[in-house]
Amino acid sequence: MARHGGGRGWYGKVFGAALGVTLLTVGASVWTAQADGVGRSTPRAVAPPAAGAAGGGVKAVAVTIAHASDKGPRGVNITIDDGPDPVWTPQVLDVLREYGVKATFCMVGTQAQAHPDLVKKVVAAGHRLCDHSVSHDTTMDKKPQAYQSQQILDAERMITKASGGVRPMYYRAPGGAFTPYSRKLAASRGMRPLGWNVDTKDFERPGTDTIVATVQRELSNGPTLLFHDAGGDRSQTVEALRRILPWLKQQGCSFGFPVR
């Protein structure tokens, strides 16, 4: 899993707002009951519970980063990052529905909070949710544990509320900026750390042909494919998915979810 996600201007624009949202929302009573310390005026790191003792009805999962598919050796995991977005997420959902494919949507907390209707549509279509932090800070691994816990736990709460109560099943660190602490914290909340094997580089808008060629060339690296549905014009991604999904079926692949 290569590090990615450098200069993303779109996230720079939402970062200040995201911090404001974080400070305003961390005191919610339901979350305070589940994650001691997040609702305090002075944030502190939340110690991950021991395995099997996550509390609050949440079952802890493995802390290792998931790279396999629950469909086995021929399984492929489609993962969609950074949304939901009111323009592009509906188009991605349409393509997935057209080909009967379920995917994992790695959502940014502020985006989920802004577009709860789209979060509910993703869930209603049978896709899974993934916590992609509050503000997509790709330098999270360089920040204090208190900051990491806020980014992960606040996003979990935002996504769960926006979905109508469906919790994210995975945690993907922005740009792959995992730390041992963030993996343990996410796993203690029932969110398996989620990596990727094929970075399509669609965020850079290299052209639909290039995105398709990247998947065809690198599919042997592993089953988890990384696409985006937010952060700018994603028309190339939509068209690439329209070509990649039937090609994967022709290769004898089946579509599943990352292992839990």
Side-chain angles (χ1 to χ4, degrees):
M1 181 181 73
R3 183 88 171 219
H4 92 133
R8 299 191 175 183
W10 181 69
Y11 291 105
K13 294 177 183 178
V14 303
F15 182 67
L19 285 179
V21 169
T22 297
L23 292 174
L24 286 171
T25 58
V26 294
S29 59
V30 61
W31 187 245
T32 301
Q34 292 181 346
D36 177 38
V38 178
R40 298 174 183 268
S41 58
T42 302
R44 62 180 177 84
V46 177
V58 177
K59 183 179 179 181
V61 294
V63 301
T64 51
I65 297 175
H67 287 293
S69 173
D70 62 5
K71 290 295 185 179
R74 299 297 297 171
V76 172
N77 308 319
I78 302 297
T79 65
I80 314 290
D81 280 22
D82 300 355
D85 179 273
V87 174
W88 303 110
T89 302
Q91 294 186 45
V92 170
L93 287 172
D94 285 346
V95 175
L96 294 173
R97 181 172 60 251
E98 179 180 350
Y99 293 101
V101 174
K102 304 303 180 186
T104 300
F105 283 76
C106 301
M107 296 187 174
V108 174
T110 52
Q111 291 296 106
Q113 187 175 63
H115 307 290
D117 56 327
L118 291 178
V119 182
K120 291 180 177 67
K121 286 183 179 180
V122 167
V123 172
H127 305 293
R128 289 185 179 179
L129 301 177
C130 171
D131 178 335
H132 202 32
S133 82
V134 171
S135 57
H136 203 280
D137 181 356
T138 58
T139 66
M140 272 182 62
D141 55 336
K142 305 296 192 298
K143 302 293 179 62
Q145 291 182 354
Y147 176 84
Q148 295 177 46
S149 66
Q150 278 194 330
Q151 286 285 309
I152 295 168
L153 299 179
D154 283 1
E156 180 195 8
R157 182 188 55 76
M158 291 175 177
I159 294 167
T160 301
K161 181 178 180 180
S163 72
V166 178
R167 299 182 62 258
M169 300 177 68
Y170 307 92
Y171 167 67
R172 172 172 278 168
F178 288 102
T179 66
Y181 172 79
S182 68
R183 289 191 292 108
K184 289 178 182 178
L185 178 60
S188 77
R189 295 294 307 154
M191 297 184 291
R192 180 75 184 266
L194 175 59
W196 62 84
N197 304 107
V198 179
D199 184 353
T200 65
K201 308 284 187 173
D202 64 327
F203 196 92
E204 300 173 2
R205 296 197 292 273
T208 299
D209 290 344
T210 299
I211 296 170
V212 173
T214 297
V215 173
Q216 293 174 337
R217 181 179 67 252
E218 298 184 11
L219 184 61
S220 61
N221 292 345
T224 304
L225 280 55
L226 171 62
F227 299 91
H228 296 82
D229 64 342
D233 185 339
R234 301 273 71 88
S235 56
Q236 293 179 8
T237 299
V238 173
E239 183 57 32
L241 283 168
R242 200 178 301 280
R243 291 166 54 181
I244 289 166
L245 298 181
W247 178 81
L248 288 169
K249 288 187 175 183
Q250 292 170 4
Q251 307 310 303
C253 297
S254 56
F255 297 93
F257 294 109
V259 295
R260 287 270 293 159

